Amino acid sequence: GTEVILTLPDPTPVATAPEAIPLAIVFEDPHLIVIDKPAGLVVHPAPGARDGTLVNALLHHCGGSLSGIGGKLRPGIVHRIDKDTSGLLVVAKSDAAHHGLAAQFKAHELERRYLAIAHGAPDPADPRLAHLAGTSWEPGGVLRIEGNIGRHPGDRKRMAVLTSDGKPAVTRARVLERFPPDGPRASLIECRLETGRTHQIRVHLTFAGHPLVGDTVYGRRPGAGPLASFPRQALHAASLGFVHPVTAEPLRFESPLPADMAGLLESLRACNGEAMLHEA
């Protein structure tokens, strides 16, 4: 029986201003632009990040040539990667490119390859994975993780694998390197996306028991060593391939590991060497 009265403020106009933020441009033509995004850069304005975003930088670089389909906050944005994930993403400069790229994303026709450094290493001999619903092993030691992703029922800021809700999501993960080789504390993992859900790799690898190093939202931070000090989720969008939506030319781009992840791998490999010396 309680009466509640809400007084809403008048709506304020949206103004996303161009900003001279440096961009690592991998490819550009009149229809699209491919960016190698550094970790720490938000893709588009949102609460808590109204400026200093990739969109602000694109507005400065491209002027008025971004696709307007995404609206004033997301002009040209076809897909996103998290603020603290580095690597490649494509932005539409024309509406034709936006429609064509969106169709390829919907049909899962793009190649998206990520490199991740995770705690532990997925293993076909792991009894937990053998009995975990939604996980299976494919030829070549590829772990297939299938599980709907949606908002966590107890924390709306997080995503989770859900059994009766969410959107279908499939991730394929393959271990490239273990640190140390026997009884690994960490591993370098290649991930390929069949779908593109919010936080998909982070959520799926955590679901499989191998959260990303540095992921304070879904993972854990060990007490000491190089794994404890890494300041972000160790995830990099390393390859991006698609058919040009206007010219029909096949395009594929690669981005080397950024300095922070490369340095972490060097530290882990050095620990491998020390462990081998102690064993000898």
Side-chain angles (χ1 to χ4, degrees):
T2 302
E3 180 181 344
V4 178
I5 299 174
L6 300 180
T7 303
L8 300 179
D10 293 332
T12 56
V14 174
T16 304
E19 296 182 45
I21 300 171
L23 290 173
I25 299 171
V26 179
F27 174 86
E28 183 176 14
D29 71 5
H31 300 286
L32 56 85
I33 182 170
V34 177
I35 302 295
D36 195 347
K37 187 187 84 67
L41 181 63
V42 177
V43 171
H44 59 73
R50 291 297 183 186
D51 51 25
T53 71
L54 176 63
V55 164
N56 296 102
L58 288 167
L59 289 172
H60 180 271
H61 175 78
C62 300
S65 65
L66 288 176
S67 165
I69 292 176
K72 291 183 178 180
L73 288 181
R74 306 183 187 186
I77 300 302
V78 186
H79 68 124
R80 298 176 296 169
I81 54 178
D82 296 338
K83 171 187 175 182
D84 289 327
T85 298
S86 55
L88 298 167
L89 76 163
V90 58
V91 177
K93 295 174 65 176
S94 69
D95 287 357
H98 201 128
H99 283 300
L101 289 168
Q104 292 184 53
F105 273 100
K106 185 176 181 180
H108 313 309
E109 294 173 347
L110 289 87
E111 175 199 346
R112 283 175 291 171
R113 173 179 170 269
Y114 289 73
L115 293 175
I117 303 174
H119 291 282
D123 189 334
D126 183 351
R128 179 182 181 275
L129 285 177
H131 297 92
L132 185 62
T135 62
S136 59
W137 291 93
E138 298 180 339
V142 175
L143 173 63
R144 184 180 188 273
I145 308 170
E146 180 175 7
N148 286 14
I149 291 179
R151 293 289 173 186
H152 193 289
D155 183 352
R156 303 299 292 175
K157 294 182 179 180
R158 300 172 61 202
M159 310 301 287
V161 173
L162 305 176
T163 56
S164 59
D165 201 357
K167 296 180 179 180
V170 177
T171 304
R172 287 178 170 85
R174 181 170 66 94
V175 176
L176 302 179
E177 198 169 351
R178 293 171 171 81
F179 312 101
D182 298 326
R185 295 172 54 239
S187 58
L188 174 64
I189 300 178
E190 174 189 77
C191 297
R192 294 183 182 270
L193 295 182
E194 185 174 311
T195 55
R197 309 303 179 197
T198 301
H199 301 174
Q200 178 172 320
I201 291 174
R202 299 165 64 189
V203 171
H204 270 176
L205 285 183
T206 298
F207 175 71
H210 300 283
L212 298 186
V213 169
D215 192 342
T216 57
V217 175
Y218 298 103
R220 59 182 182 271
R221 193 175 290 278
L227 300 181
S229 58
F230 198 72
R232 65 174 178 102
Q233 67 256 15
L235 184 62
H236 178 67
S239 302
L240 177 64
F242 55 90
V243 174
H244 194 292
V246 177
T247 68
E249 176 188 2
L251 299 174
R252 188 178 187 276
F253 307 98
E254 293 194 7
S255 168
L257 277 178
D260 58 353
M261 285 185 65
L264 177 58
L265 285 180
E266 289 180 7
S267 297
L268 292 171
R269 287 168 182 151
C271 291
N272 272 5
E274 291 175 6
M276 293 172 68
L277 287 174
H278 288 316
E279 290 174 5

